[in-house]
Every structure is written in structure tokens, then in C-alpha cells.
Amino acid sequence: HLMALNPNEGLRLATAELIIQGFQNGGDILRMANNIVRLKQAENVVKYSAYYKQMEKYLSVYTLSLDNFIAEPAKSFNNFLDFLFEGMNVSQKRKEKVAFKYEEYFYKKSAESPHVTWGKSSNRLEQNNYLRNDPIYGPPLRKIEFLVDAALDETREKNTNIGANLTAR
């Protein structure tokens, strides 16, 4: 369906579906942005709440880059496990074993059933620039990109040592 269209028009149509809710799918871009905003609000409510301070409870949000995850699934999963088990007695060796097992699973699943976009875009930068400069999609996508980049930067700042212990196989 989209492959039969002019590449730019197909990209615009696919982006529209990713921005708004389609039939049984879509809406991912706005849902992602909303989740970032709402989770940050929840994090701040807990942070400044006398009740949670008294209970010595906190909420911490971990934001993961999909590009980094695809490029390095074991490292990304290990970083998440470091975040998840921070302050708990879980050995690095155990987390690494789980991370490498997940990486094997990820590669096996992606080989069996690759997504239509998996590795098919040789002109990704050109497509990104096209959408950034599009008069309709550009402004909201740039704002969402800024929001996502800020969330990723905040996670990196909070967790500068996460994943530093992952050993190569």
C-alpha cells in the first residue's frame, strides 16, 4: 500500500498514521510524547510529596533510545537491568547473562519476522530532513524530538555509569 506511493507521499501518510490513532494501530508518536510528559509529572509529584519523602519512596523513569537498542541490544538491556536493580544485590554476571540471552532472542526474532522498515531505508537522513522541513509535520515533530532528546539526556545524566560493566563476549 505505502510502497506504491511516491516515496515522500508514502512517508507523509505513514507519519500521519504514527501521529494519530489509526484503525487498531498508530498514534505512537503522540502517545510517546504524552508518556514522557506524564511520567515526568508523576516523577515530580513523588519527588516533592511529603508523603513519599516520609516513606522514603521515589519514582525514577528510564528512557531508552530505540536506535541505541537496535544497534546494541545486549548493552541497552544491560543498562536497563542496571537501572532496574540499582541498589539491589544482583550480580553483574547474572545481568550480563540475561542481557546476552535477550540479544540472541532479539536477533532471532528480527531475522524471522523483520519489520517492513527494518534496514530498508538507505536514505534515512534525507527522509528525516524532509519531515523536519514539511510545513505540516515539521513543527510538531521538532517539538516532540526536542522532548525525547531532553528525556534521553536526563536519563544519561542520572545514569552515567550504567552499562559500564558490560563485558564483550
Side-chain angles (χ1 to χ4, degrees):
H1 61 2
L2 294 177
M3 301 293 248
L5 296 174
N6 164 295
N8 289 341
E9 291 309 308
L11 181 61
R12 290 184 89 236
L13 184 58
T15 303
E17 186 174 20
L18 288 171
I19 290 176
I20 61 173
Q21 180 65 40
F23 178 70
Q24 296 182 344
N25 64 354
D28 296 340
I29 293 174
L30 290 181
R31 189 171 30 258
M32 174 189 58
N34 183 60
N35 288 344
I36 290 171
V37 170
R38 301 296 284 179
L39 286 167
K40 184 64 180 166
Q41 289 171 340
E43 192 175 35
N44 285 330
V45 165
V46 170
K47 183 178 181 180
Y48 298 111
S49 165
Y51 173 78
Y52 288 107
K53 281 183 183 178
Q54 179 184 1
M55 305 259 314
E56 296 182 9
K57 300 280 184 180
Y58 68 96
L59 173 66
S60 189
V61 177
Y62 184 81
T63 305
L64 174 68
S65 161
L66 185 58
D67 289 339
N68 291 347
F69 176 79
I70 289 170
E72 299 179 291
K75 181 178 179 184
S76 296
F77 198 72
N78 191 72
N79 289 352
F80 173 70
L81 293 173
D82 284 347
F83 168 80
L84 188 63
F85 296 115
E86 181 182 1
M88 299 174 78
N89 191 18
V90 178
S91 75
Q92 185 61 33
K93 187 175 182 175
R94 174 88 172 124
K95 289 184 281 189
E96 285 181 19
K97 183 178 178 182
V98 170
F100 286 127
K101 188 159 184 81
Y102 182 79
E103 180 179 63
E104 289 173 13
Y105 169 78
F106 174 77
Y107 285 136
K108 181 179 181 226
K109 285 301 267 183
S110 56
E112 290 172 0
S113 177
H115 189 271
V116 68
T117 59
W118 187 270
K120 292 202 177 195
S121 178
S122 60
N123 59 344
R124 186 174 176 183
L125 184 59
E126 183 181 313
Q127 291 173 336
N128 285 344
N129 287 333
Y130 175 80
L131 287 174
R132 278 190 187 103
N133 295 315
D134 186 271
I136 303 297
Y137 296 117
L141 289 175
R142 284 191 299 271
K143 288 178 183 178
I144 292 169
E145 183 178 29
F146 178 79
L147 180 72
V148 170
D149 287 346
L152 288 169
D153 288 345
E154 186 175 333
T155 294
R156 284 185 205 107
E157 287 173 16
K158 285 182 190 175
N159 305 296
T160 54
N161 294 323
I162 283 184
N165 299 321
L166 184 66
T167 56
R169 285 197 260 178

